[in-house]
Amino acid sequence: AIALDPDLVVLEAPFDGLTGRAAQDLLDRVTRRDDGTHRAVFATVQDLQPSVRRMMDRVIKVVDGAAVEEAP
């Protein structure tokens, strides 16, 4: 998906079964472009690991289809 160098990458449950370090590496590889700039990543997760949370700019918690909590 990142071979085409999109501006936005959508990931569904990308960190399931990964260690915190592996999840950080995955997010870093998907986010960072070859020229060093960053692309936007939208990820759905069930359980957000603290080590990965620190790498995110914005988190929105959704319950029953409604945003119930937002954190920068």
Side-chain angles (χ1 to χ4, degrees), residues 5-59:
D5 196 28
D7 291 328
L8 171 67
V9 175
V10 178
L11 303 173
E12 183 177 350
F15 312 121
D16 289 358
L18 297 181
T19 64
R21 181 67 191 159
Q24 285 178 320
D25 288 345
L26 173 64
L27 188 58
D28 187 55
R29 289 174 191 243
V30 171
T31 304
R32 189 175 316 277
R33 292 183 163 157
D34 289 338
D35 65 3
T37 61
H38 291 86
R39 70 173 50 89
V41 176
F42 178 91
T44 62
V45 297
Q46 294 291 323
D47 184 28
L48 186 57
Q49 300 170 8
S51 59
V52 175
R53 169 61 185 101
R54 287 189 292 273
M55 297 177 70
M56 298 184 172
D57 295 325
R58 186 173 178 197
V59 175

